[in-house]
Amino acid sequence: SKLDRKYKALPKFPAVTRDIAMLISDEVTVAEIENVIAKAGKELIESIKLFDVYKGKQIPEGQKSVAYALSYRAENRTLKDEEVNKVHDNIVKALSDKLGAQLR
């Protein structure tokens, strides 16, 4: 039987990467954070990479500092800054509203 392989074409348009850092309760899981980011970012979020988790001196008790690199891309066009800003702001708002994150 022939294997059905689906190859994704190489992206024609550039990705835009934005970092996001927040203070969030220790009880909130990485999975929950990523879920909120993915939902709020809809089809423009290409990847969500966790690059820093920090607890300690400057961080209030019961909280952690979490930082992500978010990559945005559209399949059919080059994204404009305003477009990325709008989606990024939606993500920030969703993290704050749903998870009580404080953006740093």
Side-chain angles (χ1 to χ4, degrees):
S1 74
K2 206 170 63 139
L3 287 174
D4 182 24
R5 293 177 191 228
K6 289 197 166 59
Y7 290 102
K8 260 193 104 170
L10 282 172
K12 293 184 181 70
F13 299 96
V16 178
T17 305
R18 295 274 167 91
D19 291 349
I20 190 168
M22 68 196 96
L23 274 179
I24 200 153
S25 163
D26 264 345
E27 286 147 36
V28 178
T29 66
V30 164
E32 288 176 282
I33 296 169
E34 292 179 6
N35 199 9
V36 168
I37 293 173
K39 279 207 173 108
K42 299 196 177 71
E43 67 282 350
L44 291 185
I45 274 280
E46 181 180 60
S47 72
I48 302 169
K49 292 194 181 78
L50 178 66
F51 68 85
D52 188 45
V53 179
Y54 177 77
K55 294 164 65 133
K57 283 197 180 109
Q58 297 85 23
I59 309 297
E61 193 67 35
Q63 295 201 311
K64 59 191 169 192
S65 167
V66 184
Y68 283 93
L70 305 182
S71 185
Y72 298 93
R73 194 194 305 264
E75 283 177 17
N76 56 355
R77 65 196 186 283
T78 297
L79 287 175
K80 294 189 177 74
D81 262 355
E82 307 85 81
E83 215 176 348
V84 175
N85 292 346
K86 204 170 147 191
V87 179
H88 196 76
D89 290 347
N90 281 348
I91 290 172
V92 167
K93 190 176 183 325
L95 288 167
S96 166
D97 293 352
K98 296 192 164 75
L99 301 176
Q102 289 173 274
L103 274 294
R104 308 191 70 194

